[in-house]
């Protein structure tokens, strides 16, 4: 009998939504690029678009404009 136990979570370094990171195939990623690499490879494997936009999660145009005006979220549009 095989028993598998999940032991812990760990936070990957880097920003998974940073579009400026260029991933090169067959080369190991640097430490700050690990989160982006995991996001892109997982989305490719599942057949999803690689580019994740925060804008698609807002229902109303007012909320979208409010989020675009927020200085913390401006890099994600």
């Amino acid at each position: 009998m095989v028993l598998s136990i999940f032991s812990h979570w760990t936070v990957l370094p880097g920003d998974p939504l940073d579009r400026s990171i260029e991933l090169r195939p067959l080369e190991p990623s640097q430490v700050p690029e690990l989160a982006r690499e995991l996001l892109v490879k997982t989305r490719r494997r599942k057949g999803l678009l690689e580019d994740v936009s925060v804008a698609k999660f807002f229902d109303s145009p007012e909320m979208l404009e409010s989020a675009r005006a927020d200085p913390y979220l401006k890099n994600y549009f």
Side-chain angles (χ1 to χ4, degrees), residues 16 18 21 23 34-46 48-52:
D18 185 7
I21 295 174
L23 299 175
L34 289 177
R36 178 70 180 171
E37 180 185 30
L38 180 69
L39 173 95
V40 169
K41 287 183 177 180
T42 302
R43 292 183 68 83
R44 282 180 189 162
R45 187 179 72 240
K46 293 184 175 202
L48 302 170
L49 295 174
E50 293 177 17
D51 188 29
V52 178

Side-chain angles (χ1 to χ4, degrees), residues 5 12 14 38 69:
I5 298 174
L12 288 175
L38 180 69

Side-chain angles (χ1 to χ4, degrees), residues 54-69:
V54 176
K56 69 179 180 180
F57 296 106
F58 293 102
D59 295 333
S60 67
E62 294 84 18
M63 291 293 293
L64 182 58
E65 289 304 317
S66 175
R68 284 189 175 144

